[in-house]
Structure formats: structure tokens, C-alpha cells
Amino acid sequence: MSAREQILERSRRALADVTATEPELDVPVHRPPPRPGRPAAQVLDLFAEQVADYRAVVERTTKTGVAGAIVGALHGRKPRAGAGPLRILVPPGFPAVYLPAGIEPVADGPDVPIAVLDRCDGVVTTAAIGIAETGTIVLDHGPGQGRRAATLVPDLHVCVIRAEQVVADVPDAVAALEPHRPQTWISGPSATSDIELDRVEGVHGPRTLHVLIVTDDA
């Protein structure tokens, strides 16, 4: 008898006294009472504070100011190949009106190899949800958000999130998100520490996270 057959035989013996239909356990579900909603301005302020607490850069802007804010996020970064414009990874569906002049946009897609992503100076994306209580940004990889590799390989991630996408806490975020879509939850730039607690950033993700919170133009 092979090892596989032995395992299956033991499993059959262990399940010999189990009926085909087990009775469902009547476990009561305790739901918390509805919480009073926080003012939108208070939620937005908390989100900005919590994101910044993770050592991410947080900036507020308007729709017409996004392109300029992206330029500011790129300020001081040198192209990897020396002279020439910065190579910025742009996922499908990212609003073209947000892209500033003077950069070299690199269109991302499933066939773009990791080596190309690694040669980019940064990536710009939108987001699905922002969570104020935890300072978390959630991507469900819809239009403008890119695939997971696009937000992990480049050293800089500039994330554009609209003010109305920010919710108060995790339950609100879970209720708003589509459960069948892939999700990436981001709380600050990539960071880890060794046994002596020396912090190292950029090991398994972007070294710098720059979040642009967009409100309507006055």
C-alpha cells in the first residue's frame, strides 16, 4: 500500500461515524448597534493623519491640481538612466488628465515584464477605498489601479484618492468593497526590521508612498 493509499484509508476510518448531513449549530450572531456617522471633514482629517503616521507623504489637492501635485511628488528624483525624463509606470484606466508633462509614461499591462517595471522611477495609481481609522489604502485593481506587481516593484508609489472614497473604518470599507475582486491593502510604504529592530524600507515594496487626497475644485 502506497503512502497516499494509507492516508486515504486512515481518513476513511476517521470519518466512518460521521453522517452525510451534520446538524447546523445554532450560534447566535451578535451585531453591534449602528454607530453615529462622523462628519466627512473629520474622517478626512483622521485619514490624512493616520497615513502620515506610517511615514507616507500626504498632500491635499484639487482635480485641476493633481498633475502639479504629481510633479511635486517626483521632485528631486533622478532618472535611473541618467539624463532624460522620469519613466513613470501608468496602469490602464489612469486618468490621462492627471498626467503631467515632462515625464515618460510607461503603459503597464499583463505582458509587461518585471524588468521593465524595475526600470521605472515610480508608478501612479488611483485607489478603491481609503480607511481613516487605520490609514489604509485599498486597491481592488480596477481601472487606474494596476496589477499588484505594478505597485510593488517601482520604488515610488503615487496614489491618487478622491475625498469621497475615504470611509471611517474597516467595517465600512468591507461593506463598500466587492468581495470577489482581488484586493491589496496598503498601510504606508514597505518596511521591515531585523532581529535588532533596525528599520529597513523598500525591501518588498515601494520605499516611498505619496498619497494625493483629491477634493472638488472650488
Side-chain angles (χ1 to χ4, degrees):
M1 181 180 294
S2 66
R4 177 178 180 275
E5 292 171 339
Q6 290 178 7
I7 293 173
L8 291 175
E9 179 60 28
R10 291 176 183 176
S11 299
R12 293 188 190 98
R13 289 200 302 268
L15 296 173
D17 60 343
V18 178
T19 59
T21 55
E22 288 288 320
E24 295 184 2
L25 298 177
D26 186 14
V27 179
V29 178
H30 300 284
R31 300 188 182 277
R35 298 160 297 158
R38 300 178 185 174
Q42 181 180 340
V43 171
L44 212 57
D45 289 343
L46 178 60
F47 176 70
E49 178 184 343
Q50 294 292 78
V51 173
D53 194 50
Y54 281 115
R55 300 189 187 181
V57 181
V58 183
E59 185 178 354
R60 302 195 193 199
T61 185
T62 60
K63 292 179 180 178
T64 56
V66 171
I70 291 177
V71 171
L74 301 174
H75 181 70
R77 300 187 70 86
K78 298 180 180 179
R80 296 192 179 189
L86 290 166
R87 291 169 51 87
I88 303 302
L89 189 67
V90 181
F94 186 85
V97 68
Y98 289 167
L99 292 176
I103 67 168
E104 180 185 340
V106 178
D108 188 33
D111 297 329
V112 177
I114 298 298
V116 173
L117 305 186
D118 191 47
R119 289 196 294 269
C120 290
D121 298 287
V123 58
V124 290
T125 75
T126 56
I129 288 288
I131 306 174
E133 193 170 77
T134 61
T136 303
I137 295 166
V138 183
L139 308 181
D140 66 5
H141 304 285
Q145 298 174 51
R147 51 181 172 152
R148 185 165 293 170
T151 57
L152 292 177
V153 179
D155 198 50
L156 167 69
H157 179 191
V158 181
C159 185
V160 181
I161 184 168
R162 303 190 312 274
E164 61 268 24
Q165 291 179 291
V166 179
V167 298
D169 51 28
V170 172
D172 288 343
V174 172
L177 289 165
E178 170 55 56
H180 301 294
R181 292 193 60 84
Q183 298 174 12
T184 301
W185 293 49
I186 301 171
S187 297
S190 166
T192 188
S193 60
D194 59 19
I195 195 171
E196 295 182 357
L197 300 182
D198 291 327
R199 180 183 173 96
V200 181
E201 297 179 348
V203 175
H204 42 67
R207 190 186 313 271
T208 303
L209 175 64
H210 196 118
V211 179
L212 302 178
I213 304 173
V214 183
T215 57
D216 292 329
D217 294 286

